[in-house]
Amino acid sequence: MTSTLHRLVKVVSLALLVGLGATAIAETDAPAGKAVEGSAKANALKSCVRPTDWMRRNHMELIEHQRDLTVRQGVRVQKDSLANCIDCHARHDDKGQPVPVTAKGEFCQGCHGFVAAKPSCFQCHSTVPSSADTAQR
Amino acid sequence: MSKSKGQTDMDRRTFMGLTVGAAATLVAPGVFLHSIAQAGDREQPVTDKVRWGMLVDTSKCANGCSACVDACKTENGLSNHGRPATDPTWIRKVKVRDNFTGRETNLPLMCQHCEFPPCVDVCPTGASFKRADGIVMVDRHVCIGCRYCMMACPYKARSFIHEDIEIKPTNAPRGKGCVESCNLCVHRLDNGQAMTACAEACAKAGHNALVFGDLKDPNSPVSQALKQLPSRQIRADLQLSTGVRYSGI
Ligand code: SF4
Ligand code: SF4
């Protein structure tokens, strides 16, 4: 009886340990992907348009707020616009081509994939900087 | 019982506090926006001091020319799947023939930017709306794709997007499941460029059939042209007070 209990505790703690390990690995993997790395403009900047930890939690409020102002009233402040996010956070590959922010491991996908929340922005909005999408046409 | 009620009240008070807090953070960016709004037109809300409009001089519109239609497609990234019945069309060429005299007239037809737009009247979600400066457009964030507006528009000016869109221009975000139509190149206007892609292309092709500008400014090209030429609204009987007028029909 006691030995069975003992074994059970052992198994459970092992499972917990494995679980914790997995989380730790996933966490180092996930946040913001290769977000502020190398060829993204954001790499050269000290912080985002607001303090970074505020942005992590609230970027969607900012984007949604300006979205209504832009569509309804024509207010297109560059700083808080989605276009500015993409301009700043899209990386460029070795050939200088922009990598979509929704590609695996890139800025938007990195976190959103981790938390399994699909941003619906990109059903309509461009995933590469404006300079690149003009060239596409 | 009463204890649990008290607790509920406390919770509600905390909740209210939080909500007010959240509202304050939400308002903050707005306040900020207005404080730096002096910098340029781009950062000011549009006003009704302006009403954008156009005059189409059909006597100059050339048979077989599609400069305006092509320019619109390029400007707004309207992709074509080779299925004319469902491909998005913001502006199209129409040929009308007087069966008695045989006289043919060419004209481009697009959203007429009605002052009293039926598409806005029927929209159940408020997605179809008229901006202060007279531009009628769809807020795709709110559009549910019911297509009531397409039924209501007397000019067949609106398209429903049936298929996924590969190229999404930053200037003109668009996607499957929404209705869209000519927005008088709203991104250009907001950036301070008072010229639509179609009118620009028409002039470049040497026809000058499209005159664009501010209907409320007596000195604008469109107001000057309207003063000179006899013009009319298509389906004037509907009393929609269109922003796009035609001469020579
Ligand atoms: S022309 Fe059609 S789409 Fe344009 S404002 Fe009038 S009803 Fe609406
Ligand atoms: S299709 Fe969209 S814009 Fe048109 S009436 Fe329906 S909700 Fe409104």
Side-chain angles (χ1 to χ4, degrees):
Chain A
M1 186 70 176
T2 28
S3 77
T4 327
L5 193 67
H6 192 69
R7 254 207 332 255
L8 190 67
V9 169
K10 246 184 171 171
V11 169
V12 168
S13 37
L14 189 70
L16 270 176
L17 268 175
V18 170
L20 279 176
T23 326
I25 290 163
E27 257 174 15
T28 49
D29 230 19
K34 295 168 222 153
V36 269
E37 179 187 282
S39 51
K41 267 192 214 165
N43 185 40
L45 301 174
K46 274 224 176 68
S47 90
C48 199
V49 293
R50 304 283 187 286
T52 306
D53 39 346
W54 188 88
M55 283 305 284
R56 274 198 194 116
R57 284 171 186 80
N58 301 301
H59 60 283
M60 63 298 252
E61 307 284 1
L62 220 53
I63 295 168
E64 192 176 25
H65 176 72
Q66 181 159 324
R67 146 196 131 168
D68 294 336
L69 285 175
T70 302
V71 177
R72 302 269 163 174
Q73 297 177 37
V75 174
R76 294 178 187 249
V77 177
Q78 185 76 27
K79 191 178 167 198
D80 292 345
S81 69
L82 182 62
N84 204 28
C85 306
I86 308 304
D87 252 1
C88 213
H89 286 290
R91 284 190 326 115
H92 291 77
D93 65 15
D94 303 339
K95 296 192 193 91
Q97 292 302 310
V99 186
V101 288
T102 46
K104 198 166 181 347
E106 297 302 325
F107 188 64
C108 297
Q109 198 278 336
C111 285
H112 277 271
F114 180 65
V115 298
K118 192 175 179 203
S120 47
C121 309
F122 303 107
Q123 286 171 12
C124 290
H125 285 277
S126 180
T127 55
V128 292
S130 51
S131 51
D133 83 43
T134 317
Q136 272 184 318
R137 277 180 277 157
Chain B
M1 192 65 185
S2 66
K3 194 180 168 200
S4 81
K5 198 171 170 230
Q7 264 174 348
T8 313
D9 279 354
M10 266 286 270
D11 286 353
R12 203 183 63 186
R13 200 171 286 180
T14 328
F15 174 67
M16 292 300 276
L18 283 173
T19 323
V20 170
T25 29
L26 265 177
V27 167
V31 171
F32 175 73
L33 289 176
H34 289 290
S35 66
I36 59 159
Q38 318 302 332
D41 282 341
R42 234 181 118 81
E43 302 182 351
Q44 292 284 4
V46 292
T47 68
D48 61 2
K49 291 198 180 75
V50 174
R51 185 183 175 198
W52 298 110
M54 197 182 274
L55 173 67
V56 181
D57 184 348
T58 60
S59 66
K60 294 182 178 165
C61 179
N63 191 12
C65 172
S66 64
C68 54
V69 177
D70 299 340
C72 179
K73 285 191 175 145
T74 314
E75 181 76 16
N76 298 296
L78 306 185
S79 44
N80 191 325
H81 293 95
R83 292 186 270 281
T86 52
D87 280 337
T89 312
W90 292 15
I91 177 170
R92 63 201 155 97
K93 283 291 292 283
V94 173
K95 187 184 279 184
V96 279
R97 187 167 187 274
D98 184 328
N99 282 340
F100 184 70
T101 61
R103 180 174 180 261
E104 283 184 347
T105 312
N106 286 285
L107 54 93
L109 194 66
M110 70 297 254
C111 173
Q112 307 284 296
H113 298 281
C114 313
E115 186 182 354
F116 308 109
C119 54
V120 175
D121 290 344
V122 300
C123 178
T125 66
S128 263
F129 72 105
K130 187 173 63 131
R131 273 196 355 170
D133 57 359
I135 302 179
V136 177
M137 46 193 266
V138 178
D139 182 349
R140 292 178 182 78
H141 302 117
V142 188
C143 173
I144 53 170
C146 68
R147 291 165 261 183
Y148 282 5
C149 55
M150 290 177 69
M151 294 292 148
C153 174
Y155 306 98
K156 217 175 149 189
R158 293 199 153 181
S159 302
F160 178 75
I161 303 309
H162 291 261
E163 301 180 56
D164 275 326
I165 288 172
E166 301 100 57
I167 298 173
K168 302 157 188 140
T170 302
N171 277 341
R174 34 200 302 277
K176 184 162 99 173
C178 289
V179 162
E180 55 183 36
S181 56
C182 155
N183 55 26
L184 291 177
C185 291
V186 67
H187 55 280
R188 286 181 169 221
L189 301 174
D190 288 347
N191 287 336
Q193 186 186 358
M195 174 59 76
T196 64
C198 53
E200 189 180 82
C202 183
K204 214 177 255 172
H207 302 307
N208 293 305
L210 305 178
V211 188
F212 177 78
D214 176 8
L215 297 170
K216 286 188 177 169
D217 172 5
N219 298 317
S220 71
V222 68
S223 299
Q224 292 290 327
L226 281 165
K227 207 186 262 177
Q228 301 293 323
L229 293 167
S231 67
R232 50 187 290 203
Q233 308 172 44
I234 297 181
R235 292 297 309 267
D237 57 315
L238 297 172
Q239 300 184 321
L240 304 176
S241 175
T242 59
V244 179
R245 311 263 163 144
Y246 291 79
S247 82
I249 55 167

